[in-house]
Amino acid sequence: MTQPAPPQQPADGNPFAQQPAPVPQAPVPPAAPAQGNVALGVVAGVVVALITAGIYGYILKATEREIGYAAIGVGLAIGFVAGKVGGANPVLPIVSAALSLAAVCLGQLFGVALIMDAGEDSVTLTTVLTEYSDLVVTIWKESFDAMSFLFLAIGAFAAFSGAKKAVA
């Protein structure tokens, strides 16, 4: 019978030696936060502003009154998209608030034009927006009150906050 081979001795001759400790690796630094493209964020904000202005106008036509939640939604959508696409640039919340003001105003004007279009069958929306635009603006100015101003302010605040929160 053959004897089993004895276990191999460590190279330094100490049979009770422990395995060498692994060489510590330098910790991997966290990835740098993505620096967004500010111009692309502004363009995305403008696109969302135009879309939400149209939606806001249709909501005004359907309800024939201003709704504060719609202005908040317009502001949040603009701010969120601009912040996500544009990154953490401090200019984007301000631009988002200005775009929200413009979008809510355009939405109100568009809502007035849609209501005028619904009144007569012979007049199309294109005609109302091109030939009767001065009348649309006059009606909008006459109906502009403290609540309209409040909705503008709420939308702008929501856009500013949305752009700040989008990058957080």
Side-chain angles (χ1 to χ4, degrees):
M1 274 205 157
T2 60
Q3 293 275 5
Q8 293 290 327
Q9 294 278 333
D12 64 357
N14 184 357
F16 302 107
Q18 295 183 5
Q19 296 293 326
V23 177
Q25 299 288 329
V28 177
Q35 297 295 327
N37 186 341
V38 177
L40 192 58
V42 171
V43 169
V46 169
V47 170
V48 172
L50 292 173
I51 292 169
T52 56
I55 294 170
Y56 190 66
Y58 278 109
I59 290 172
L60 289 178
K61 178 187 182 269
T63 61
E64 294 191 8
R65 65 176 51 159
E66 295 174 277
I67 299 175
Y69 291 118
I72 293 171
V74 167
L76 281 176
I78 293 168
F80 182 78
V81 170
K84 276 294 183 189
V85 174
N89 192 301
V91 171
L92 285 175
I94 297 167
V95 170
S96 298
L99 287 173
S100 175
L101 290 172
V104 172
C105 285
L106 282 174
Q108 289 173 350
L109 287 167
F110 188 58
V112 169
L114 286 171
I115 292 170
M116 286 176 60
D117 178 43
E120 295 186 31
D121 293 330
S122 62
V123 179
T124 64
L125 180 61
T126 307
T127 306
V128 170
L129 290 173
T130 56
E131 295 179 19
Y132 300 112
S133 60
D134 56 338
L135 182 60
V136 170
V137 172
T138 302
I139 292 172
W140 176 70
K141 283 181 182 178
E142 290 175 0
S143 66
F144 197 84
D145 57 356
M147 288 300 281
S148 299
F149 180 76
L150 179 65
F151 292 146
L152 288 172
I154 288 172
F157 178 75
F160 188 88
S161 299
K164 294 284 240 183
K165 299 284 183 187
V167 294

